[in-house]
Amino acid sequence: MRSHVSWRVDITLDSGVGFVILAHRNLYRVAELASHLANEGGKVVIHVDANCPAAEFRQLQQLLDGQTDILFSRRLPCAWGTFSLTQAVLVGAKLLLDVWPDLGHVCHLSGDSLPIRPVTQFFAFLGQRAGVDLIETVPAKGDGWILGGLGIERFQLWFPFAWRTRRKLFDSAVDLQRWAKIRRNLPAGLEPHLGSQWWCLSALTVKAILDDPRRAEFDRFFKWCWIPDESYFQTLVRRHAKKIESSSFMLTRFDPSGKPHIFYDDHENQLAACGEYFARKIWHGAENLYARFLGGKPTTVRPRFEDLDAMIARANLVRVEGRSGLIMQGRFPQDQANTAAKTAAEYDVFVGFDQFTKDFHPWMASKISAKLHGRVFMPDQVWFASRHDTEVGCLPAIAKIRDFAPTQYLRNLIWNEKDRRQAFLFDPGDNKAVSEFIADDPNARIFVLRNAWAIRLFLTGSSAESGLLTARRALERENDFFELLGLKTNKADVQVFELGEFLQLPKVGYLDLLSRVVGRGNAEFGELPPEFDLADFPRFARDLATLGVEIDVHLDRRNASLSTTASERLSVKN
């Protein structure tokens, strides 16, 4: 092998670009990428993870058979976050420069990368940067580059276990070393740096790193570092580079937890408008992206309404705060947001009306376009509009399952048919958690018939004396419910109707209810719902009042004008 000095003298700058590609899955896409780079004039070395099935590797070899500008390096078993990935790059880079020693630059890509501008433009770009290293390299001491996780401890502690496959041992080892105050010594003269693992270095710099007299020492140190592919080259380039440019040739975007965004076909226009030459991660099923950027069949491009960073910012917001009314694994909607709806769509809640009249549910269901469920949250039963055992979205009509997480149950009910308005009957005694939930949900419209519980008690045939305890409990529940609805922090639209209005002028009361539900002027009244025999109810209400439970069964002056107006509308429409 030629000496380090003679190699630097003999090498011809800007005489070609080589690529080291790390791959471990979707190898047919790797074949397309490598073939495209080679056809455009690049030299390619592919490292395939030894954990990848041998049959898939043989298929990749067959796909690339006869490609003289594409080679395969020795396969090593790789694990994320370990030195094995860096070692695979070193093996691939050495093979690349051994076979093509006159290359000007060495570019490190992943198997899910894709050129989003013509590769010839990238070659011209590098041709103007002889000896320049394109790599992100920032000091590790500040930890500002890291979005989450370990900072300077990446270099100070020992990491003998793979985080993804032996996480408990990984965490225990970190905790033990912190407790014992263990700190590794960095190699003399080495200042740790961090940066993206994707880089394009001058061949001179790569050769200098490979031939560094202290390389064995550096490799031993980084072997026990955490995620060394983000620090090995980023640190050692500082020892050998003549000129470093931090401008990236690779488009990468990350979510708030540090995981890379995946690009799909609907990012086609946004990717084409970016200034970078490559992008990752590309979904292997993005047929339009591969067809367009690898020079296959032409595609029809949709108009570009939003740039990439705006799309990603919106995606990050959804990832952090969730979507209104959507329950996902490991993430709940952002209840803390002052203006956020708790559900995915608007819905109506009817409280007490089914106690006043027979068949309120079918009557109201025939008058409105909303899907009207029955008492979804009654103590021992779930009453869906369909009367089936499951609702849309496989939501079961099982009270035990519902009560495990009742507010999430309601969220799912609304989400599953968010394109259609829904409604349901409710009682103040059904579920307190649901009462609090709907009262604080700006998507909820709550229509309440006050004191309707007294009608239910009267219809049982109980006397005021025998039903006194039940009446007091019902009144207490209703008062608690109204206190909850009246909180200033609550956001639901609450509309209260008085029992006296429905007793004395039921047709007026129902028309007023319909007008508020469907909008003034849109209420098609038709027939009244069938009524209970309430002739003796006023006496029952007076007896309760004598016993200390007062119920207002008369129209007060405040409602008189409302009733008169409703009567006029009724006479005109009918």
Side-chain angles (χ1 to χ4, degrees), residues 479-496:
N479 289 339
D480 291 343
F481 184 63
F482 273 99
E483 183 178 354
L484 186 64
L485 296 179
L487 291 176
K488 292 182 179 180
T489 55
N490 287 337
K491 309 174 188 69
D493 177 10
V494 180
Q495 303 185 38
V496 180

Side-chain angles (χ1 to χ4, degrees), residues 58-131:
R58 287 193 297 270
Q59 290 176 358
L60 176 63
Q61 289 178 310
Q62 292 172 2
L63 289 172
L64 297 176
D65 186 39
Q67 292 269 19
T68 58
D69 289 333
I70 300 176
L71 300 176
F72 294 92
S73 64
R74 176 169 54 93
R75 298 179 65 189
L76 303 172
C78 295
W80 183 84
T82 69
F83 188 70
S84 57
L85 293 174
T86 302
Q87 189 177 12
V89 178
L90 292 168
V91 169
K94 184 178 186 306
L95 174 61
L96 187 72
L97 292 178
D98 283 347
V99 176
W100 296 289
D102 58 346
L103 292 174
H105 281 86
V106 176
C107 186
H108 175 31
L109 302 177
S110 68
D112 55 15
S113 300
L114 196 63
I116 55 177
R117 293 174 64 181
V119 176
T120 53
Q121 290 185 12
F122 181 55
F123 293 163
F125 170 77
L126 294 178
Q128 299 171 0
R129 286 162 175 77

